[in-house]
Amino acid sequence: MGIVSSGFRGRRSGNPALPPGQHETRDFPVLTAGPAPLIPLEEWEFFIAMENGRRLSWSWEEFMALPQDEITKDIHCVTSWSKLGTVWRGVSLDTLLEGVETTGGFTTAHSYGGYTTNVPVRDLLEGKAWVAWEFDGEPLERAHGGPARLLVPHLYFWKSAKWIHGLELTGKEAPGFWESNGYHLHGDPWREERYS
Ligand SMILES: Nc1nc2c(c(=O)[nH]1)N[C@H]1C(S)=C(S)[C@@H](COP(=O)(O)O)O[C@H]1N2
Ligand SMILES: [Mo]
């Protein structure tokens, strides 16, 4: 057998960067359930609430003093658009979760404004997730989650909670906003974990 033509790849687009059922978009759609909250930097914090009752938090200034990563990743929305090669700056969850104890291994991300989404700890560590505050070299626009959002690019983009406030470690997986409304508990685009 020679080269298999891309016409025989079923629902694949022919672009190996695109998960099944996705198409590429060049612009950056805004998808928000409800109004965008406004969080002044003086009031902003990022917290981690542990199962044992301990709580860590960083002010904006403290957060900015942490090691910063530049991240180039493809993002995939469950509504079928993907945006390839997006460039971000932020603090990795490896840095933020360093020394944090968890017995359960699950988290609920809490956003300012009340949005929640659940993500297992194993999907946040080893260079897989960030709290991102810069997009394309500019401070993250409010519509896209500024001052800062969670960025978990290997899962569908609903997991990347905009206006992130903090992470609550939980003993078992507690479905967040979209996960309680029919979306998949995990959300891996390469396995098309769209709906439950
Ligand atoms: N706080 C909050 N975060 C959110 C959402 C939301 O409604 N509120 N929508 C999610 C969904 S469904 C998607 S697809 C992405 C959209 O991000 P964007 O508006 O920057 O494209 O944000 C996710 N994070
Ligand atoms: Mo979405």
Side-chain angles (χ1 to χ4, degrees), residues 39-48 55-66 68 91 96 112 131 133 147-148 164-165:
I39 311 109
L41 292 185
E42 318 83 75
E43 285 167 31
W44 185 90
E45 64 157 7
F46 179 77
F47 74 80
I48 292 175
R55 190 180 190 274
L56 302 174
S57 73
W58 292 262
S59 67
W60 185 260
E61 211 178 11
E62 290 164 342
F63 175 75
M64 284 296 142
L66 296 172
Q68 306 286 330
V91 177
L96 293 162
Y112 288 99
V131 172
W133 57 273
I164 188 72
H165 186 189

Side-chain angles (χ1 to χ4, degrees), residues 16-122:
L18 288 176
Q22 296 292 113
H23 68 269
E24 185 179 2
T25 181
R26 304 258 165 185
D27 46 43
F28 196 172
V30 170
L31 285 134
T32 305
L38 177 61
I39 311 109
L41 292 185
E42 318 83 75
E43 285 167 31
W44 185 90
E45 64 157 7
F46 179 77
F47 74 80
I48 292 175
M50 299 179 219
E51 292 140 287
N52 63 15
R54 286 189 55 221
R55 190 180 190 274
L56 302 174
S57 73
W58 292 262
S59 67
W60 185 260
E61 211 178 11
E62 290 164 342
F63 175 75
M64 284 296 142
L66 296 172
Q68 306 286 330
D69 290 352
E70 186 166 300
I71 308 121
T72 302
K73 291 283 180 191
D74 305 337
I75 54 179
H76 311 290
C77 177
V78 72
T79 61
S80 91
W81 57 265
S82 291
K83 193 169 168 58
L84 305 180
T86 60
V87 181
W88 307 80
R89 199 171 168 76
V91 177
S92 77
L93 266 296
D94 294 292
T95 296
L96 293 162
L97 286 169
E98 204 179 301
V100 167
E101 292 157 33
T102 172
T103 44
F106 294 99
T107 76
T108 294
H110 291 268
S111 293
Y112 288 99
Y115 183 86
T116 57
T117 185
N118 56 286
V119 188
V121 172
R122 65 172 179 278

